[in-house]
Amino acid sequence: MICLFLSIFSYFFQTALTGVSERTFIAVKPDGVQRKLVGEITHRFEKKGFKLVALKLTQASEDLLKEHYWDLRSKPFFTELVSYMNSGPIVAMVWEGLDVVKTARKMLGETNPADSLPGTIRGDYCVEVGRNVIHGSDSVLSAQREISLWFRDNELHCWEDSSSRWIY
């Protein structure tokens, strides 16, 4: 209990000092895991200066995936999307940093890889929209909702990143 309190206190103290107050949810989809892109994707976020606060390899249940993609439930591709996301392991992550949601979306590229610029994850590694390697929250509100779906509070780690003073 004391550790949890200190962890929360540390997070809010760091937020007050650095202005860093955002977290985002990033998931390497089954095709990205199968293609062994997890390390490359993680490396890009680390090189950018974002802090990893949670990571796990998981096989998502259909119920979790239906809840995660709830806003797409009326789309004709919803069932196929849930099936695809349930087809193999997913690497779920939470990243923290200044404007991390907006910046991560730019790093990912467009949902349709054909519209993604070289240098983005989808621009470099994807061909088809149905196999676009990665998911990222599209807003701070979505990030909060998605993080709470995929991680329990005690799985989110507050730790001091010694490089943060060189980034912020």
Side-chain angles (χ1 to χ4, degrees), residues 2-120:
I2 292 173
C3 184
L4 177 62
F5 172 76
L6 290 175
S7 179
I8 293 169
F9 177 77
S10 171
Y11 172 71
F12 286 112
F13 183 70
Q14 178 186 1
T15 298
L17 290 178
T18 65
V20 176
S21 61
E22 270 186 24
R23 287 181 172 174
T24 195
F25 176 75
I26 299 292
V28 180
K29 296 177 179 182
D31 58 317
V33 174
Q34 292 292 333
R35 293 177 57 202
K36 298 171 182 55
L37 296 174
V38 175
E40 171 62 29
I41 289 167
T42 303
H43 185 65
R44 287 182 182 216
F45 281 88
E46 288 178 326
K47 283 187 353 183
K48 186 69 176 175
F50 294 130
K51 182 169 80 169
L52 182 64
V53 296
L55 178 140
K56 65 179 165 184
L57 178 70
T58 185
Q59 179 73 41
S61 69
E62 275 192 42
D63 289 341
L64 172 60
L65 293 167
K66 286 177 180 177
E67 182 67 24
H68 178 87
Y69 289 112
W70 181 253
D71 58 327
L72 300 175
R73 68 191 177 281
S74 63
K75 302 287 185 184
F77 58 82
F78 178 74
T79 303
E80 185 178 325
L81 174 62
V82 170
S83 178
Y84 152 65
M85 291 294 288
N86 187 251
S87 68
I90 294 168
V91 174
M93 299 178 271
V94 178
W95 291 90
E96 184 177 280
L98 182 64
D99 292 323
V100 69
V101 173
K102 180 180 176 182
T103 305
R105 294 292 292 183
K106 288 184 178 183
M107 291 171 65
L108 269 58
E110 299 298 320
T111 301
N112 184 344
D115 298 331
S116 294
L117 295 173
T120 64

